[in-house]
Amino acid sequence: MEPLERYRPIIDDFDAFLAACERPLGNAVRVNTIKASVERTLAALNEAGVDYDQADWNPRVLTLEIDSPGSTWTSFHGFTHGQEEVSAVPPVVLEPQPGDRVWDCCAAPGGKATQIAALMDDRGTVVANDNNLGRISALRFNAERLGATGLAVTNADARNYSLERFDFDAFDRTLVDAPCSCEGTIRKNPDALDNWSEGHISSVAGIQKGIIRRAIQATREGGTVVYSTCTFAPEENEAVVQHALDNEPCRVVDFDLELEHAPGLTAWDGETFDERLERAARIYPHQNDTGGFFVAKLEVTA
């Protein structure tokens, strides 16, 4: 936990934060409304004798009182998909609409991409891209298992992603769930900090800056880009969004989130950020008994 000490000045009740990071995470799933309604899914879980808690902020998110949520009848039939509770936040903030063209830049293994498809009632186009060929098979499997018929899979580096393969020249909405140092997954992956270093944070931040810039370039004026990570490092969060604000036509906008969260930072380690970054959300493990996440919403401007 030593690397997390650097965040003591920015996290209220830091001792509670550390204690939460040391507790194992519950088993959360998302109801896949492409295959079944929430009501039908809950009925199936009740019939199978699986206990669950429904998230207050999102009725499609459940925590199952079972060790292997992937072994349930509902999972086998695609009614549910294993997905950490805070991982379901970015697609909700993106607010995709039926008929939209949506790009998920870093989509594997497909939890958020298929959630986007479900929020669109599987009407429209979701382009689920990942640069890791080894993870594409998981992405395709989950798209097929969950019945996302409007989802296309591509394998490319998001930093120089080409739209020439499509018959349109811009997306309506883009999700950048960026590769990161994964500090916020410590409850699920106890070894997440084993190879932690500030050098790694700096390296991955450079990749993130390239991806978010291309995402804005590939999204139409008036469109939406959501940037998210599962890490606490401001270098990978506010600093990356600030880089986008400095180099691309966009602005940070408000969004509603019923989960408890802290505002984005406007300063870190001698660096200052646009005051509107307070509109971003920092979700810490002790606030809602979840993993850690950062989410910012951008509007593409002229």
Side-chain angles (χ1 to χ4, degrees):
M1 294 295 173
E2 184 178 345
L4 301 182
E5 282 291 333
R6 72 199 298 256
Y7 307 125
R8 185 179 288 274
I10 63 172
I11 299 178
D12 291 338
D13 203 351
F14 189 76
D15 290 339
F17 163 77
L18 283 183
C21 288
E22 292 175 346
R23 290 196 302 270
L25 197 61
N27 292 311
V29 300
R30 171 179 55 82
V31 175
N32 172 37
T33 51
I34 295 175
K35 286 287 188 78
S37 67
V38 173
E39 292 74 19
R40 185 181 180 192
T41 301
L42 297 183
L45 290 170
N46 289 330
E47 185 175 346
V50 177
D51 293 331
Y52 58 84
D53 289 320
Q54 198 168 14
D56 292 336
W57 71 279
N58 188 337
R60 301 186 187 196
V61 176
L62 312 173
T63 300
L64 303 187
E65 302 298 326
I66 188 172
D67 291 334
S68 301
S71 66
T72 60
W73 186 94
T74 58
S75 176
F76 181 80
H77 289 280
F79 288 18
T80 58
H81 176 71
Q83 187 170 340
E84 214 274 286
E85 182 171 350
V86 287
S87 181
V89 170
V92 173
V93 174
L94 188 66
E95 295 184 290
Q97 303 298 312
D100 276 352
R101 295 174 175 137
V102 182
W103 182 29
D104 186 347
C105 297
C106 313
K112 296 179 185 67
T114 52
Q115 182 182 358
I116 289 168
L119 290 170
M120 295 165 58
D121 299 327
D122 201 28
R123 292 158 45 205
T125 301
V126 179
V127 176
N129 177 72
D130 206 274
N131 74 330
N132 187 332
L133 186 59
R135 303 182 74 197
I136 290 293
S137 58
L139 175 55
R140 292 180 61 185
F141 172 79
N142 283 322
E144 292 170 5
R145 183 178 70 86
L146 299 174
T149 61
L151 189 150
V153 175
T154 62
N155 172 220
D157 188 331
R159 292 173 291 182
N160 50 28
Y161 195 81
S162 173
L163 299 182
E164 290 184 357
R165 70 195 84 197
F166 306 117
D167 61 359
F168 55 86
D169 57 8
F171 292 98
D172 298 301
R173 301 172 197 267
T174 298
L175 173 62
V176 183
D177 187 53
C180 67
S181 58
C182 299
E183 296 166 338
T185 68
I186 186 68
R187 299 183 64 186
K188 182 173 64 175
N189 304 309
D191 59 352
L193 302 179
D194 286 359
N195 297 312
W196 185 96
S197 71
E198 290 193 12
H200 175 61
I201 287 177
S202 178
S203 176
V204 75
I207 296 171
Q208 294 160 343
K209 289 173 181 176
I211 296 173
I212 193 173
R213 289 191 64 182
R214 182 60 188 136
I216 294 164
Q217 294 164 4
T219 305
R220 65 170 175 81
E221 181 183 340
T224 299
V225 174
V226 167
Y227 178 80
S228 63
T229 74
C230 55
T231 198
F232 308 118
E235 297 93 334
E236 300 180 59
N237 294 327
E238 289 88 352
V240 172
V241 177
Q242 184 64 56
H243 179 78
L245 295 173
D246 291 341
N247 290 279
E248 300 295 339
C250 62
R251 65 187 185 97
V252 182
V253 295
D254 291 311
F255 58 89
D256 293 325
L257 180 60
E258 294 184 22
L259 277 173
E260 184 181 349
H261 60 279
L265 305 177
T266 56
W268 167 258
D269 197 26
E271 185 176 0
T272 58
F273 309 123
D274 191 303
E275 62 181 16
R276 286 170 291 186
L277 269 160
E278 288 188 340
R279 298 173 177 175
R282 289 181 148 265
I283 305 171
Y284 296 120
H286 64 295
Q287 294 173 315
N288 309 279
D289 195 22
T290 64
F293 238 79
F294 172 86
V295 185
K297 187 173 187 176
L298 304 173
E299 179 186 343
V300 179
T301 58

